[in-house]
Amino acid sequence: MRSFNLTFWHTTPFLLFILFVTPVAIVLFSLIGTYNDNWSHLYNHVLFLYISNSIYLVIGVGIIVSIIGTSTAWLVTNHDFTGKNFFEWALILPLAVPPYILAYTFTGLFDTFGTANNLVRDIFNLGRDFTLFPKVRNVPGAIIVFSFTLYPYVYLVSRMAFINQSRSIIEAGRTLGLNKTQVFFRLGIPMIRPALIAGVMLVLMETLSDFGAVDHFAISTFTTGIFRTWYGLYDIDTAMQLASCLLLFVIIFLVIERYSRRKATYSNSMSVFRPIKINKLNGINNASAFLACFIPIFIGFVLPVMELTYWALNYKLDFFNYKFITTAWNTLSLAFLAAVLTTILALLINFSTRYKKNKLLANMSSFLTVGYAVPGLILAIGIMQFLTFIDRALTIEFFNLALTGSLVGLVFAYVIKSYALSNSALESGYHRINHKIDDVSRTLKSSGWSMLTYIHSPLLKTSLLTSLLLVFSEVIKELPATLVLRPFNFDTLAVYTYIFAAEERMFDAAAPSIAIVAVGLIPIIILTRIIRNSRPASREI
Amino acid sequence: MSTLEIKNLSHSYIKNKTVLTNIDLEIKEGEILSILGPSGCGKTTLLRIIAGLEKETNGSIQINNKIVSDYLHTIPTEKRNVGLVVQERALFPHLTIIKNVMFGLNNSKKENIDTAMNILKLFRVDRYAHNFPHEISSGEQQRVAIARAMAPKPKILLMDEPFGTLDQSLTVQLRIETKKILKDNNTTSIIVSHDIDDALAMSDRVIVLENGMIKQSGVAKDITHLSKEKAVKIQ
């Protein structure tokens, strides 16, 4: 009989799979529970609205982030124009602004008596009835909010893929009669399709699981429905059943994404990599490129920061106190811990899948990304129930220790929620490593840990840094799971902001909001500079 | 003494679709064998099975009289002591040329550097020792790839279309140089190619694979008459 050796590379993903899946399974099991009157009410009156609004959001956001993310990444990677060096890193600044904060500032700016309309009336001496800017508390408004805060996900993965495209391929296209625009549409985009799909899928999952922005705009989606059912009707079972429906939606997205990605695997032979030639833009092209990169940053970052600063300066200047420093420290440490842990786990699982070439492992790895789309509060409930079970069965009995209410649950939630981000960055990185490199390194007696440490990790440096950056930024902004799972008397900046925002005290929430944005900026600036310098084969690792 | 012995080897990726059928093959120490055949005939699969990168469905493989794979046993690639050269070269892009060659060596650092430099000298690429792969030409990259595979002194050197991406004049030159080095070092080698000229110039013996079966086998000069139409078909 043929032997099958169960190794670390088989068992680790399997154990992680069980750990990741259990809280989600707890939520999904609600589908086979009893359906009460609240469910019938939702089903008969609002479920279709939740579905249609979610679909509008997903289509609108998907199209806009694809356009902004790929075009800006192509411009800054392959062209030289005014402000290019600034845009390279500044284009990811909106990552530091959570959609709910942009939503708050948008209403502050564009409501009938918001800052922008007031300014126009004052300048042109117009009457109170005049409004220049349309209302934003609607689906198109939400599409704009999500698109301009989330496009950096697409920008980052597209840029990483463009950086790694070999100049020879672009030159081959030019010699075959393609002009610069055709090179972008017929070579640039098709070649980065796996990365692009991965980035867009992340944005869509984020859109579907957001609560803050859609709630502020009073748009009925699955998440607002879940929250209303929970907090309004105090019906956790129906809320979990709604969450399960949302989860099924996400699984369909994932299956489509995996299928299309499997149909097109692109890998560069790193040995023949030639860095891309930068084209200098002049005149109208230079101005157009500048505007194409400036507008997303202006809407997604400059505008909200200006409005928040205006509010903060006018209403609250004494926020920089001991409480604030403690809260900022808590946020930074948690984010760092979660980013490192998530990246290590994603690396181990991606390596196992590739190294063992096992279909089951690949399917498990795909499934782990579903956690990202699970609304934070529902995930938190799943984790709480899971930890309560472990506490009762194990930790209290044998170690006199309770995991419930500790940082374990919180980090656990962050890892599950951010795993898709990390996985996406690493998967894209792995797509670009030729499998022949693995074959050759095995014949050179390098396998398992040695291959991971000395071959894959250096080649994945850009992807690993991207993963750290994405998770770090995500954790700083995370709110609902933190609210439920944080230990007693343990605040993060997001919780701090929420407490004021929940009472519509946005002027008070402005200062901690700026702090979230500012703290989120530090790793973005540092890590993007490292990414810029880490083209493959550019220097010794 | 035979370095490699393959007995009754068959392989299929999907049930009822056989890629290799009842392959029996023996290679003596220091012999250079070429496997010729059209695309999809199973020659690369055979090479990957010898390397341990694929598991055969049936049959057995012995290297230096030790079973490395049969129905019960499978020795992993990294423990088979085989060298592999692929058409894409697959040099590690983050390592310099010398570090690429030193990668498979397990001695002290000084000994590794000496060994690597010596083999780079043999292939006349020692002046690029501290360059990165993308900084040298494709012909030089291929020399480095062969040098890297030979550095740990493998029992068998496996080469899959080693000159497939190079131009004709460079290919001719590399064939002569590589054969000389292989012979001087008494390195047992298997070269997989669809190019009959590779086989004739490099090898002591040639086998022709067709539809996963050995159709012809013989010394290179006999295979010269393997018929013109066959050669045309193969190319």
Side-chain angles (χ1 to χ4, degrees), chain A residues 57-255:
Chain A
L57 281 176
V58 158
I59 292 172
V61 174
I63 291 170
I64 296 177
V65 294
S66 302
I67 294 169
I68 299 175
T70 53
S71 57
T72 51
W74 178 259
L75 282 171
V76 298
T77 309
N78 295 324
H79 301 87
D80 187 12
F81 55 94
T82 309
K84 181 229 182 194
N85 288 340
F86 165 75
F87 289 131
E88 268 183 358
W89 62 268
L91 275 160
I92 64 166
L93 287 175
L95 264 187
V97 182
Y100 60 87
I101 288 183
L102 187 63
Y104 295 147
T105 52
F106 258 44
T107 48
L109 275 165
F110 301 118
D111 266 356
T112 311
F113 296 102
T115 314
N117 279 318
N118 282 340
L119 197 67
V120 172
R121 282 190 210 105
D122 289 347
I123 291 170
F124 298 102
N125 202 19
L126 299 163
R128 284 174 63 85
D129 297 339
F130 180 82
T131 48
L132 177 69
F133 297 101
K135 286 193 172 90
V136 288
R137 289 177 189 254
N138 48 33
V139 172
I143 289 174
I144 298 289
V145 163
F146 285 123
S147 300
F148 283 89
T149 47
L150 301 176
Y151 80 82
Y153 289 131
V154 178
Y155 167 77
L156 269 173
V157 290
S158 304
R159 176 156 159 70
M160 216 166 68
F162 284 138
I163 280 176
N164 287 299
Q165 274 182 359
S166 178
R167 178 168 139 195
S168 318
I169 294 166
I170 307 293
E171 286 172 352
R174 295 302 300 275
T175 57
L176 290 167
L178 302 185
N179 62 30
K180 286 176 185 171
T181 315
Q182 286 171 323
V183 164
F184 174 68
F185 284 108
R186 293 184 56 190
L187 283 177
I189 294 293
M191 281 196 303
I192 65 153
R193 207 180 75 186
L196 176 60
I197 292 175
V200 173
M201 289 311 296
L202 285 178
V203 171
L204 299 187
M205 286 193 258
E206 177 92 345
T207 305
L208 282 175
S209 64
D210 175 84
F211 167 73
V214 283
D215 184 62
H216 192 67
F217 284 172
I219 298 167
S220 294
T221 62
F222 273 107
T223 49
T224 52
I226 292 160
F227 273 71
R228 280 174 202 153
T229 311
W230 191 355
Y231 280 119
L233 302 172
Y234 300 102
D235 184 353
I236 183 67
D237 293 329
T238 307
M240 284 169 78
Q241 282 158 346
L242 264 182
S244 304
C245 295
L246 177 58
L247 214 56
L248 296 177
F249 251 96
V250 174
I251 290 168
I252 293 168
F253 270 112
L254 270 176
V255 170

Side-chain angles (χ1 to χ4, degrees), chain B residues 146-197:
Chain B
I146 302 170
R148 179 179 66 178
M150 283 183 70
K153 298 196 186 311
K155 293 269 190 304
I156 309 168
L157 181 64
L158 307 168
M159 297 197 268
D160 189 0
E161 306 276 6
F163 313 119
T165 55
L166 305 178
D167 64 55
Q168 189 60 29
S169 62
L170 194 57
T171 301
V172 171
Q173 188 191 346
L174 255 182
R175 274 183 203 140
I176 297 165
E177 287 177 17
T178 308
K179 182 174 183 180
K180 185 175 180 316
I181 294 167
L182 293 177
K183 281 294 171 194
D184 288 351
N185 288 274
N186 199 31
T187 308
T188 311
S189 314
I190 299 178
I191 301 163
V192 154
S193 179
H194 67 274
D195 185 349
I196 197 162
D197 292 333

Side-chain angles (χ1 to χ4, degrees), chain A residues 415-477:
Chain A
V415 170
I416 293 179
K417 264 199 82 69
S418 345
Y419 179 80
L421 288 170
S422 194
N423 184 63
S424 162
L426 288 167
E427 244 183 19
S428 297
Y430 263 121
H431 270 294
R432 293 190 308 275
I433 301 178
N434 195 316
H435 281 268
K436 291 283 166 67
I437 283 195
D438 296 15
D439 293 347
V440 168
S441 80
R442 290 183 74 166
T443 63
L444 293 168
K445 303 179 182 65
S446 173
S447 62
W449 285 107
S450 160
M451 194 192 291
L452 177 63
T453 313
Y454 299 112
I455 302 294
H456 288 186
S457 298
L459 291 177
L460 289 169
K461 198 173 76 175
T462 313
S463 303
L464 290 168
L465 289 171
T466 308
S467 160
L468 285 172
L469 187 153
L470 292 173
V471 178
F472 195 97
S473 166
E474 176 69 16
V475 169
I476 284 170
K477 293 180 285 182

Side-chain angles (χ1 to χ4, degrees), chain A residues 2 269-273 436-437 439-447 454-455 458-459 537 539-541, chain B residues 48 53 56-57 71 77-78 81-82 84 86 88-94 99 103-104 132 134 141 148:
Chain A
R2 186 162 290 176
S269 173
M270 294 295 192
S271 299
V272 291
F273 178 85
K436 291 283 166 67
I437 283 195
D439 293 347
V440 168
S441 80
R442 290 183 74 166
T443 63
L444 293 168
K445 303 179 182 65
S446 173
S447 62
Y454 299 112
I455 302 294
L459 291 177
R539 61 201 166 94
E540 190 171 4
I541 297 163
Chain B
R48 289 177 64 80
L53 296 164
E56 73 283 353
T57 317
Y71 195 58
T77 306
E78 52 274 18
N81 199 9
V82 293
L84 179 66
V86 292
E88 299 89 337
R89 302 180 280 281
L91 295 178
F92 305 133
H94 60 295
K99 284 188 178 170
F103 193 85
F132 284 94
H134 72 281
Q141 285 180 15
R148 179 179 66 178

Side-chain angles (χ1 to χ4, degrees), chain B:
Chain B
M1 193 177 98
S2 57
T3 303
L4 175 76
E5 199 173 343
I6 296 172
K7 282 182 188 162
N8 200 28
L9 185 140
S10 297
H11 187 68
S12 56
Y13 288 110
I14 311 162
K15 238 182 179 177
N16 302 328
K17 195 167 181 200
T18 313
V19 182
L20 294 167
T21 313
N22 299 331
I23 302 285
D24 287 302
L25 190 62
E26 205 178 320
I27 305 174
K28 293 191 186 73
E29 193 180 342
E31 189 181 11
I32 303 175
L33 173 88
S34 279
I35 303 175
L36 274 174
S39 297
C41 71
K43 53 190 192 299
T44 295
T45 304
L46 179 58
L47 206 72
R48 289 177 64 80
I49 288 173
I50 297 168
L53 296 164
E54 303 278 349
K55 173 72 183 161
E56 73 283 353
T57 317
N58 279 309
S60 70
I61 303 169
Q62 283 186 43
I63 295 178
N64 269 17
N65 293 324
K66 187 182 166 192
I67 292 176
V68 293
S69 189
D70 66 6
Y71 195 58
L72 287 171
H73 313 92
T74 304
I75 292 180
T77 306
E78 52 274 18
K79 291 181 181 163
R80 288 193 186 192
N81 199 9
V82 293
L84 179 66
V85 179
V86 292
Q87 189 176 7
E88 299 89 337
R89 302 180 280 281
L91 295 178
F92 305 133
H94 60 295
L95 299 179
T96 55
I97 299 304
I98 191 158
K99 284 188 178 170
N100 261 281
V101 177
M102 284 164 64
F103 193 85
L105 303 174
N106 289 323
N107 304 317
S108 70
K109 196 178 175 188
K110 195 189 170 310
E111 278 178 276
N112 287 347
I113 292 173
D114 291 344
T115 312
M117 281 310 287
N118 286 337
I119 197 139
L120 285 174
K121 269 181 198 155
L122 265 182
F123 281 92
R124 296 192 290 118
V125 281
D126 50 311
R127 65 182 180 281
Y128 303 119
H130 299 290
N131 286 75
F132 284 94
H134 72 281
E135 294 171 333
I136 61 176
S137 72
S138 48
E140 287 153 354
Q141 285 180 15
Q142 195 58 283
R143 289 167 199 261
V144 175
I146 302 170
R148 179 179 66 178
M150 283 183 70
K153 298 196 186 311
K155 293 269 190 304
I156 309 168
L157 181 64
L158 307 168
M159 297 197 268
D160 189 0
E161 306 276 6
F163 313 119
T165 55
L166 305 178
D167 64 55
Q168 189 60 29
S169 62
L170 194 57
T171 301
V172 171
Q173 188 191 346
L174 255 182
R175 274 183 203 140
I176 297 165
E177 287 177 17
T178 308
K179 182 174 183 180
K180 185 175 180 316
I181 294 167
L182 293 177
K183 281 294 171 194
D184 288 351
N185 288 274
N186 199 31
T187 308
T188 311
S189 314
I190 299 178
I191 301 163
V192 154
S193 179
H194 67 274
D195 185 349
I196 197 162
D197 292 333
D198 274 351
L200 298 179
M202 295 274 306
S203 45
D204 304 313
R205 192 154 59 95
V206 176
I207 61 167
V208 179
L209 270 188
E210 211 177 290
N211 296 325
M213 287 183 278
I214 296 177
K215 286 288 174 195
Q216 287 191 58
S217 172
V219 291
K221 61 180 191 315
D222 291 342
I223 298 283
T224 314
H225 302 286
L226 111 131
S227 81
K228 287 287 177 201
E229 71 272 22
K230 180 73 78 185
V232 169
K233 197 177 167 188
I234 286 167
Q235 286 193 12

